[in-house]
Amino acid sequence: MQDDGFTERNRREIIAIATTHFADKGFAGARVDEIAAATATSKRMIYYHFGSKEALYRAVLTEAYRGIRSAELDAGLEDMPALDALARLTALTFDYHFEHPELVRLVMDENMRHAPHVGDVVEAQNEMVLPSTRALIDRGVAEGTFRTGLDPVDLHMTISALAFYFVSNRYTFANVFKVDTTSPAAAARRREQVVATVLAYCRAG
């Protein structure tokens, strides 16, 4: 293949800009020509290296999920007592969603379209989520700090939902209830509540 000067830096730039466009406009509303115009490359080059708009979107989804999974892996949860690890995982998940609202918008759009891409795209990123959650539960039960009967899917869903909702509904809550949902102070206050809720759900006794 002829060297056309396309680099990994070009690829990262395109994915970053495409992430913004897909998150803001959804898959249907985002346009490759507008994405190309915001980059240092061209529409032709995007199609040449990614193949299609759908393939570019899949690359965006892959990177979005890779980000949160990498943050979880880097947290060192295996070296903590289970209750501390659960608190750390919950806070980390909350913070990641708050700091990356584009992930929330991408997932919302994917759900509105009945998730046509997310299953096969993020399978590799998510394959360790349930086993690691199960291992955390088992460790907590063995340490006597977690109650028995916890399900890893339920726990993962609970943590994700509490983190997701604070971002997905920030504008409706702000308008309806006149509350601040976007400042670091508001996020810190809500994070503390979310962590306490998850710990209470899992704690033994």
Side-chain angles (χ1 to χ4, degrees):
M1 181 184 298
Q2 183 178 359
D3 182 7
D4 55 16
F6 191 87
T7 66
E8 180 60 25
R9 181 177 179 179
N10 294 134
R11 183 180 183 278
R12 289 196 303 268
E13 179 197 25
I14 290 168
I15 289 177
I17 291 172
T19 296
T20 299
H21 280 251
F22 284 124
D24 288 347
K25 301 179 180 181
F27 177 79
R31 295 177 54 183
V32 176
D33 56 343
E34 293 178 351
I35 293 170
T39 71
T41 185
S42 65
K43 180 178 178 179
R44 181 187 67 82
M45 291 291 283
I46 290 176
Y47 276 114
Y48 181 74
H49 287 279
F50 288 91
S52 65
K53 176 183 175 180
E54 182 172 321
L56 176 59
Y57 175 74
R58 287 174 180 269
V60 164
L61 279 181
T62 298
E63 290 302 317
Y65 274 91
R66 180 177 291 140
I68 190 167
R69 298 288 89 91
S70 295
E72 292 167 354
L73 288 174
D74 292 342
L77 303 179
E78 301 84 359
D79 302 323
M80 303 177 188
L83 212 56
D84 293 343
L86 179 60
R88 174 66 180 137
L89 174 62
T90 304
L92 180 155
T93 303
F94 183 91
D95 288 343
Y96 195 92
H97 282 76
F98 181 75
E99 294 163 5
H100 297 85
E102 71 280 359
L103 171 62
V104 174
R105 294 197 297 271
L106 287 168
V107 173
M108 289 171 66
D109 183 65
E110 185 70 3
N111 273 285
M112 287 176 64
R113 295 182 299 110
H114 299 177
H117 302 104
V118 73
D120 54 338
V121 167
V122 303
E123 184 175 355
Q125 279 74 32
N126 287 342
E127 64 181 358
M128 289 306 297
V129 170
L130 295 185
S132 62
T133 305
R134 166 53 67 193
L136 175 58
I137 291 171
D138 291 345
R139 194 162 84 247
V141 171
E143 292 172 2
T145 55
F146 285 13
R147 64 180 176 86
T148 59
L150 291 169
D151 179 81
V153 174
D154 290 341
L155 179 55
H156 178 69
M157 187 184 302
T158 297
I159 295 171
S160 297
L162 290 169
F164 193 95
Y165 189 89
F166 187 71
V167 179
S168 67
N169 288 55
R170 60 172 40 162
Y171 298 113
T172 50
F173 256 63
N175 277 282
V176 173
F177 298 109
K178 311 304 178 189
V179 294
D180 173 25
T181 57
T182 60
S183 71
R189 183 171 61 253
R190 182 58 181 162
R191 182 200 309 117
E192 183 178 353
Q193 296 166 356
V194 167
V195 170
T197 298
V198 173
L199 292 182
Y201 171 67
C202 295
R203 188 179 278 117

